[in-house]
């Protein structure tokens, strides 16, 4: 019997890895408290609670952090038009600091000495979880089994984990026939590993259709109205869930990419980000309509850096906090309504209006001269041609 080591709070999902890790931590002499974050995934949380207790957890926390995920993490990313490597809307990267923040809170509430997670030693999530933990509680101690030789040498692959699960009576949803990893939250679903590690393997998407919505924004999204049936959602969480439902039915926001992980390797991932994709296009459109050209150029550079910091796990860094303040300040005039349709996996902007619009219909018209002297353009062109 291992010597008692104290209490560890485990970020628990109920899947293969963290179920086996819970039992393994007990073997090592830890008292385990399981923490399961409800961040919008489709899950039988009561069944997960019973499973964790049956596996030996002395206590189980199930924390609903969906609303704060939308309001405090997704909205800043929407304001930034955040994209990593031009395509990835950062669904997993945004969720990790939100999950880890509550992990630290529970650890401090319980007076525990350790936190643990099931992130692999090759991935980004280990960095995201741990940088958040250290930022919020510098003296915290992290147990990362997938980086401990006594763990990864014992479990070099999924098959060994499944054998361990069978031996210890751990029910798991993964079988040798379907050995890939799926992560789900309000922002997106991701599929990685297993047969998807071969970048030539084709993934088959969802069927597509058509719908139309109107989205009203005042620095952050505040109202969505379905142009077909008049259905309206106003709260952040309800609005986001509704857009997920509408866009998901029509195949919006599904991408298949190879990306560069922070630790230095390339990985293939398949992501579905329905609501996030609609909001990205809507915000981009109303921002272009209301924001000064030169401010927008600077803001685009800030967004690029913000996306990199979020992807790499630096949400709580001083520079990322500074960027969020700058980007937030840029949004003061970004208000208005965008009308969109979704059809066969695509989002189409149909029109927009704003009380803070910088668009001058008379000035730009080909039919009205307005407050503009065409002859002035001659000198403008001559000066620009000097070089």
């Amino acid at each position: 019997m291992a010597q008692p080591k104290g209490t560890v709070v485990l970020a628990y999902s109920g899947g293969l890895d963290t179920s086996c890790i819970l039992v393994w931590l007990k073997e090592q002499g830890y008292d385990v408290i399981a923490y399961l974050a409800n961040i919008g995934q489709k899950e039988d949380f009561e069944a997960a609670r019973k499973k964790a207790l049956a596996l030996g957890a002395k206590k189980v926390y199930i924390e609903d952090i969906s609303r704060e995920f939308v309001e405090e993490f997704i909205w800043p990313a929407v304001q930034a038009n955040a994209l990593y490597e031009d395509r990835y809307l950062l669904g997993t990267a945004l969720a990790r600091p939100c999950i880890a923040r509550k992990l630290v809170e529970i650890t401090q509430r319980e007076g525990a000495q350790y936190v643990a997670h099931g992130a692999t030693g090759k991935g980004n999530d280990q960095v995201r979880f741990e940088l958040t933990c250290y930022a919020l509680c510098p003296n915290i101690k992290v147990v990362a089994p997938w980086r401990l030789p006594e763990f990864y040498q014992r479990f070099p692959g999924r098959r060994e984990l499944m054998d361990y699960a069978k031996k210890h009576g751990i029910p798991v949803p993964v079988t040798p026939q379907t050995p890939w990893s799926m992560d789900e939250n309000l922002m997106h679903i991701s599929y990685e590993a297993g047969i998807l590690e071969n970048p030539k393997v084709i993934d088959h998407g969802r069927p597509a259709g058509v719908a139309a919505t109107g989205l009203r924004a005042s620095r952050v999204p505040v109202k969505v109205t379905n142009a077909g049936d008049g259905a309206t959602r106003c709260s952040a969480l309800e609005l986001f869930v509704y857009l997920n439902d509408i866009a998901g039915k029509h195949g919006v926001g599904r991408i298949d990419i190879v990306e560069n992980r922070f630790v230095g390797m390339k990985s293939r991932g398949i992501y579905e980000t329905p609501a996030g994709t609609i909001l990205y296009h809507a915000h981009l459109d109303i921002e272009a309509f209301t924001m000064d050209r030169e401010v927008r150029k600077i803001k685009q550079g800030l967004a690029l850096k913000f996306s990199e910091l979020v992807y790499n796990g630096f949400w709580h860094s001083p520079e990322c906090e500074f960027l969020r303040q700058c980007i937030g300040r840029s949004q003061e005039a970004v208000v208005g309504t965008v009308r969109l349709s979704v059809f066969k996996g695509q989002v189409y902007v149909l029109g927009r209006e704003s009380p803070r619009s910088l668009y001058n219909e008379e000035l730009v018209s080909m039919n009205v001269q307005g407050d503009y002297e065409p002859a002035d353009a001659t000198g403008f062109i001559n000066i620009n041609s000097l070089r």
Side-chain angles (χ1 to χ4, degrees), residues 12 18 46 51 82 88 97 208 224 295 301 356 364:
Y12 176 76
T18 55
E46 195 50 42
K51 178 179 176 181
Y88 173 39
V224 63
V295 172
R356 302 292 298 272
V364 79

Side-chain angles (χ1 to χ4, degrees), residues 331-344:
Q331 300 298 292
E332 290 183 358
V334 183
V335 297
T337 301
V338 184
R339 186 178 175 90
L340 314 98
S341 69
V342 290
F343 180 68
K344 292 189 175 181

Side-chain angles (χ1 to χ4, degrees), residues 9 64 83 96 98 103 118 151 158 164 183 218-219 278 316 340 344 359 369-370:
V9 181
D64 187 344
L83 277 182
R96 293 316 185 223
C98 185
L103 177 66
F151 186 88
R158 285 291 189 266
Y164 181 81
D183 179 68
S218 176
R219 301 186 184 90
I278 283 184
H316 290 287
L340 314 98
K344 292 189 175 181
Y359 180 86
Q369 183 170 318

